[in-house]
Amino acid sequence: MNENLALLLAILYLIYRFKTYKKTNKIIEDRIENVHKPYFKRVRDVLGCSEEEAEKVGLALDKYLVPLESKFYKIDDSTYSFVDAGGLKGTF
């Protein structure tokens, strides 16, 4: 009897985890589609590079806490700058 109850609880727990992870994955996919893709597109437009390279640069900038709302400007062939809404400026 105890084994059956333990098995039933384990199955219910797996179903619960599956449903919550499915919901979490949907939220993550929506965030990637609605926030990160436009960010990578802005980076790609400024840098004039491929989509894969823009994604690498965007993820590297995100790693250094460059806000996603930043505007990017090309200074010369190897130097770029960003300015966010709060006035934070930087070059890369």
Side-chain angles (χ1 to χ4, degrees):
M1 176 83 173
N2 286 339
E3 295 89 19
N4 291 339
L5 183 61
L7 180 62
L8 178 65
L9 288 175
I11 291 171
L12 289 174
Y13 177 71
L14 289 174
I15 291 170
Y16 167 76
R17 280 191 49 170
F18 176 76
K19 287 188 175 190
T20 35
Y21 283 147
K22 187 175 181 181
K23 185 185 233 182
T24 303
N25 287 340
K26 176 72 174 140
I27 292 169
I28 291 170
E29 288 173 5
D30 289 344
R31 179 164 172 81
I32 288 171
E33 196 64 37
N34 297 326
V35 176
H36 286 213
K37 293 273 183 174
Y39 178 68
F40 296 149
K41 185 179 183 316
R42 284 197 320 262
V43 171
R44 186 184 65 199
D45 292 344
V46 170
L47 300 181
C49 60
S50 69
E51 190 172 324
E52 293 83 23
E53 291 172 339
E55 187 172 337
K56 288 178 187 176
V57 171
L59 291 174
L61 290 173
D62 192 37
K63 179 181 173 182
Y64 293 107
L65 303 176
V66 174
L68 294 176
E69 302 84 23
S70 299
K71 303 278 189 241
F72 296 95
Y73 304 100
K74 185 174 185 175
I75 297 173
D76 59 30
D77 287 340
S78 62
T79 308
Y80 306 91
S81 69
F82 67 90
V83 178
D84 77 343
L88 177 67
K89 298 177 183 180
T91 59
F92 62 97

